[in-house]
Amino acid sequence: MAFEYRAEILQLLVSPAHAYFGRSKDGPAKDVSTDLVDRVEIVANKGIRGDRFFGVKAHTEAAVTFLAVEAWEAVGGVLSTDMPDTSVARRNVVVRGVELDPLRGLEFELDSGDGPVRFRGGRPAHPCVWMDTMVVDGARKALIGRGGLRAEPLTDGILRVGTVTVRSPVELDVSRAGAQVKRAQPLKVAE
């Protein structure tokens, strides 16, 4: 990997079931545990052990979701509102100091002290209509292009809350971590 950065994993979320389904006016599902944990076990080609997307074939290429806290905070600025805790977004890995968009279609690594875990960046993690219910009216629209990144885990490993080393084949610009992007599909990389 050509570039290496120091960043922070702020939050790790594991939930065995979906909390947001059906009509948002009916509210989130009851009795759905959402665990904010200090560490997660990543399993290659399956996801985060214990999470709702673990081993689901339709989600293999999007089994782990990332969110830059800068993007979440930028939405608060756009909407002139205090944003709730990032767990409302239900992304698995919330980071500070990582521009996620350039990682689409590329392999990258995170190492939080237990060795590198390799991922392939995939499609954006688009916000759902539930964000208008769980945050404030207009949150979904403001989160479009800022909802995060879905990724496929390529190796087994452990991620922990705290300092993380990010290795990327492309240069990342942390000042753009909260910027809204317009591209809907993974970037195409020349072979």
Side-chain angles (χ1 to χ4, degrees):
M1 299 279 164
F3 300 93
E4 184 172 295
Y5 304 92
R6 299 293 278 178
E8 188 175 1
I9 294 176
L10 299 176
Q11 190 174 79
L12 295 167
L13 181 143
V14 179
S15 181
H18 294 280
Y20 304 152
F21 60 88
R23 297 180 308 179
S24 60
K25 71 177 186 162
D26 295 334
K30 306 288 187 249
D31 301 323
V32 173
S33 69
T34 298
D35 300 320
L36 299 178
V37 296
D38 292 333
R39 71 183 281 285
V40 292
E41 179 186 357
I42 306 291
V43 179
N45 306 306
K46 291 192 180 228
I48 295 174
R49 189 172 302 282
D51 191 65
R52 62 204 178 276
F53 296 118
F54 184 80
V56 177
K57 287 187 182 208
H59 290 283
T60 300
E61 294 177 359
V64 179
T65 55
F66 290 86
L67 175 67
V69 72
E70 294 91 343
W72 190 250
E73 293 167 349
V75 168
V78 168
L79 298 174
S80 300
T81 191
D82 290 330
M83 294 295 281
D85 185 271
T86 52
S87 63
V88 168
R90 301 195 44 83
R91 301 298 187 241
N92 298 120
V93 183
V94 178
V95 294
R96 179 180 299 284
V98 181
E99 181 190 19
L100 295 171
D101 186 61
L103 299 173
R104 293 185 199 186
L106 300 178
E107 291 185 15
F108 63 97
E109 293 179 349
L110 298 180
D111 186 342
S112 58
D114 293 282
V117 182
R118 186 177 289 258
F119 295 90
R120 179 179 299 112
R123 65 186 188 269
H126 292 301
C128 66
V129 70
W130 279 88
M131 292 299 97
D132 286 347
T133 300
M134 301 305 294
V135 179
V136 68
D137 281 341
R140 178 185 176 277
K141 184 176 180 183
L143 276 163
I144 292 172
R146 291 187 178 103
L149 178 70
R150 296 182 181 280
E152 176 183 6
L154 301 176
T155 61
D156 296 345
I158 301 292
L159 290 181
R160 297 179 186 275
V161 169
T163 302
V164 64
T165 300
V166 179
R167 293 180 189 94
S168 166
V170 294
E171 190 169 6
L172 304 176
D173 180 356
V174 70
S175 72
R176 296 201 35 81
Q180 189 172 36
V181 296
K182 304 290 183 191
R183 206 169 24 260
Q185 298 301 318
L187 298 173
K188 299 293 182 197
V189 179
E191 304 270 337

